[in-house]
Amino acid sequence: MSKCNELRSSLLEWANVNHLPIKKKIRLLEKENSRLREQNQRIYEKNKKLIGIIEKERRK
């Protein structure tokens, strides 16, 4: 049973050192990705609006 507890302890230590920081990094990257998608959408809408204005001016 001692080997089993030793293995369990080692796995938990590995998870705390490796797995949890990676999950935190993934959450941060997903948050940044979401922010950039929203920013991209706003720029796309603004660009579409400006293209409409330019087209309207060209028709005059």
Side-chain angles (χ1 to χ4, degrees), residues 21-35:
I22 289 171
K23 284 182 76 172
K24 185 177 180 181
K25 181 74 172 179
I26 288 170
R27 279 194 308 271
L28 290 173
L29 289 171
E30 286 172 340
K31 189 175 181 180
E32 177 71 3
N33 186 40
S34 177
R35 184 188 70 78

Side-chain angles (χ1 to χ4, degrees), residues 7 11 16-18 21 24 26-28 31 34-36 38 40 42 45-46 48:
L7 178 59
L11 285 171
N16 286 332
V17 170
N18 296 306
K24 185 177 180 181
I26 288 170
R27 279 194 308 271
L28 290 173
K31 189 175 181 180
S34 177
R35 184 188 70 78
L36 290 172
E38 289 174 13
N40 188 42
R42 286 191 301 270
E45 293 297 328
K46 187 175 182 178
K48 202 162 89 170

Side-chain angles (χ1 to χ4, degrees), residues 36-53:
L36 290 172
R37 284 181 184 272
E38 289 174 13
Q39 181 182 25
N40 188 42
Q41 185 64 34
R42 286 191 301 270
I43 291 170
Y44 174 79
E45 293 297 328
K46 187 175 182 178
N47 190 37
K48 202 162 89 170
K49 182 180 174 183
L50 291 172
I51 288 171
I53 292 170

